[in-house]
């Protein structure tokens, strides 16, 4: 009987010592990101059945549970993916807006205005050499500004493509980590119990993955998880599948490596980068190209009808082959000699007429007149482009702020479940300490009983 008392006391001391260790582990990780608090599960030891009835066997540590909520995790990851997607798209759109630098004295609007003003000055002094030089200079400045904008948009596209490749590589690495953690968790829990720290490590990897893509996590009864991005399973238990970036028909897509399947709606940062590569950046380049082509077409058509001081008719102002923002440039004739610029029409015989300014006036009037290819003036078209971009930036910023708010709320709800409360843990620690001390006192009492029995001999 005294042996049973000692056994119960020893079991209680061991159980509460381990419980205190779990509580200490919680306190030590109170500030650890992604840590889920753990709870020691104490259970009644099997009873000893005798002719006098069942005698209790004490207590033992049955398991260490991990406090978390799969629904809170899913809500957090869903909102995190949305917030990451909105923020990543806003960042790219904001960089495009910064490239234009409007409104400013050095933006394309100011360059266009200076170009039209130079033609107005030439119309005032149609025989002026300085005015022709100014027209050539302003035309060259306009072409170079469009070249610069197109070049920076191309650089932004290349940078975004690299960011997308890096993000997909991170997804593949995280998928491998999650598959490895699935394997470790299955091995650790094969004999029973919960591998809480390994599960926390897996959740941290899943949280990082949720920033990159909108994921669906399916946990199996045995403890491993599958991870699905749109229609592609990237983690299936202990196996992982890699994704890759492809360009098909000028469209950037993410697909499963080694197969033909694609992921049309990856969400997260990857989804935002795919969208900007397929929609936002090409749309800006296309609008600048349309503006450049309209300017070349309209100005060349007018300029070719004029006769320059050299008596030549049919000279292009811009190179007719450069009809994109990246290729627009002055014609070789105008670049070589400003006197090749025509300010007015020739006489009935096509000879140069000093003082004729009708061509310069008609080109200067394009400041306000609609270009046939655009339906509006060049300035109005560019302003519409900038305003539309500003609206996209503002919309993306609002979406990002709203998504950030939802993600923060989801994070707070999850932390309220899994987060460590120091006050609660200290109370639990004191409770286990008291139970340990009481069990130790039982050992002392049992020793006294043994001594009393021995003294009877």
């Amino acid at each position: 009987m005294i042996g049973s008392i000692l056994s119960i006391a020893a079991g209680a001391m061991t159980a509460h010592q381990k419980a205190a260790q779990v509580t200490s582990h919680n306190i030590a990780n109170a500030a650890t990101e992604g840590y889920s608090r753990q709870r020691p599960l104490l259970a009644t030891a099997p009873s000893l059945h005798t002719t006098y009835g069942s005698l209790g066997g004490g207590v033992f540590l049955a398991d260490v549970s991990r406090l978390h909520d799969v629904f809170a995790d899913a809500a957090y990851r869903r909102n995190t993916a949305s917030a990451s997607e909105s923020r990543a798209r806003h960042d790219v759109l904001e960089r495009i807006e910064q490239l234009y630098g409007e409104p400013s004295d050095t933006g394309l609007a100011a360059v266009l205005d200076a170009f039209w003003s130079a033609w107005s000055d030439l119309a005032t002094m149609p025989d002026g050499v300085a005015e022709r030089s100014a027209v050539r200079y302003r035309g060259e400045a306009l072409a170079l500004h469009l070249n610069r904008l197109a070049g920076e948009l191309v650089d932004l596209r290349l940078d975004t493509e690299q960011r997308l490749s890096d993000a997909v590589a991170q997804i593949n690495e995280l998928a491998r980590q999650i598959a490895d953690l699935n394997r470790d968790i299955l091995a650790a829990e094969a004999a029973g119990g919960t591998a809480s720290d390994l599960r926390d490590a897996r959740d941290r990897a899943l949280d990082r993955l949720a920033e990159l893509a909108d994921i669906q996590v399916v946990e199996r009864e045995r403890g491993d998880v599958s991870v699905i991005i749109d229609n592609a399973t990237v983690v299936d238990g202990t196996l992982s599948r890699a994704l890759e970036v492809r360009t098909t028909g000028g469209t950037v897509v993410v697909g499963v490596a080694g197969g033909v399947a694609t992921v049309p709606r990856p969400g997260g940062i990857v989804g935002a980068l795919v969208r900007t590569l397929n929609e936002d950046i090409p749309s800006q380049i296309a609008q600048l190209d349309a503006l450049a082509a309209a300017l070349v077409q309209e100005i060349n058509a007018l300029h070719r009808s004029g006769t320059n001081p050299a008596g030549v008719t049919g000279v292009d102002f811009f190179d007719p082959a450069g009809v994109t923002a990246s290729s627009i440039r002055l014609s070789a004739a105008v670049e070589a000699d400003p006197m090749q610029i025509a300010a007015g029409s020739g006489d009935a015989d096509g000879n140069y007429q000093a003082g004729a300014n009708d061509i310069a006036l008609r080109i200067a009037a394009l400041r306000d007149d609609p270009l046939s290819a655009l339906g509006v003036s060049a300035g109005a078209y560019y302003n519409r482009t900038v305003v539309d971009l500003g609206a996209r930036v503002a919309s993306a910023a609002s979406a990002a702020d709203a998504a950030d708010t939802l993600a923060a709320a989801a994070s707070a709800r999850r932390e309220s479940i899994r987060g460590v409360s120091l006050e609660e843990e200290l109370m639990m620690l004191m409770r286990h300490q008291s139970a340990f001390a009481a069990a130790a006192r039982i050992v002392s009492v049992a020793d006294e009983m043994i001594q009393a029995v021995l003294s009877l001999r």
Side-chain angles (χ1 to χ4, degrees), residues 101-383:
E102 301 290 359
S104 74
D105 296 333
T106 57
L108 182 57
V111 173
L112 272 170
D113 190 63
F115 178 66
W116 304 131
S117 295
W119 281 103
S120 295
D121 293 342
L122 180 60
T124 303
M125 295 288 292
D127 298 324
V129 176
E131 285 73 15
R132 278 182 166 77
S133 294
V135 168
R136 182 181 66 173
Y137 168 74
R138 295 300 182 184
E140 183 180 38
L142 173 58
L144 289 175
H145 199 95
L146 285 167
N147 296 162
R148 180 188 64 81
L149 286 177
E152 289 181 341
L153 283 171
V154 170
D155 289 342
L156 178 58
R157 183 182 64 196
L158 294 174
D159 179 63
T160 305
E161 288 174 351
Q162 184 59 52
R163 287 182 61 194
L164 176 60
S165 296
D166 292 344
V168 170
Q170 290 180 50
I171 287 177
N172 294 338
E173 177 59 29
L174 287 169
R176 284 192 291 270
Q177 290 181 20
I178 293 167
D180 290 342
L181 286 166
N182 276 340
R183 184 179 298 107
D184 294 342
I185 289 169
L186 289 174
E189 296 181 353
T194 304
S196 299
D197 291 335
L198 287 174
R199 285 175 175 262
D200 280 347
R202 186 177 65 187
D203 275 356
R204 285 192 291 271
L206 288 168
D207 290 346
R208 291 196 297 274
L209 188 57
E211 295 178 7
L212 297 168
D214 189 2
I215 62 174
Q216 180 184 357
V217 181
V218 180
E219 183 170 356
R220 297 171 178 169
E221 186 175 352
R222 62 181 186 175
D224 59 339
V225 299
S226 293
V227 181
I228 303 169
I229 299 176
D230 195 12
N231 59 356
T233 301
V234 295
V235 178
D236 185 12
T238 59
L239 301 176
S240 64
R241 301 174 70 188
L243 300 179
E244 64 182 4
V245 181
R246 305 174 191 155
T247 302
T248 305
T251 300
V252 177
V253 297
V254 175
V256 178
V260 296
T262 62
V263 185
R265 297 172 299 277
I269 293 174
V270 168
L273 296 178
V274 169
R275 183 177 179 184
T276 55
L277 285 171
N278 290 332
E279 297 178 16
D280 299 317
I281 297 176
S283 132
Q284 296 303 310
I285 293 176
Q287 290 181 80
L288 287 179
D289 286 346
L291 175 60
L295 287 170
V296 171
Q297 176 185 347
E298 203 86 14
I299 294 172
N300 278 356
L302 291 171
H303 193 265
R304 279 195 300 268
S305 66
T307 303
N308 59 38
V312 180
T313 302
V315 175
D316 285 311
F317 183 80
F318 288 113
D319 182 352
V323 291
T324 64
S326 62
S327 63
I328 184 174
R329 58 183 52 84
L330 295 179
S331 66
V334 171
E335 189 172 10
D337 182 9
M339 298 308 289
Q340 294 292 320
I341 297 173
S345 302
D347 60 18
D349 297 325
N351 299 316
Y352 174 70
Q353 296 186 98
N357 66 352
D358 57 308
I359 299 300
L361 284 173
R362 290 173 67 185
I363 293 178
L366 294 177
R367 182 199 302 264
D368 302 310
D369 291 347
L371 303 181
S372 57
L374 302 179
V376 294
S377 68
Y381 180 82
Y382 175 67
N383 288 338

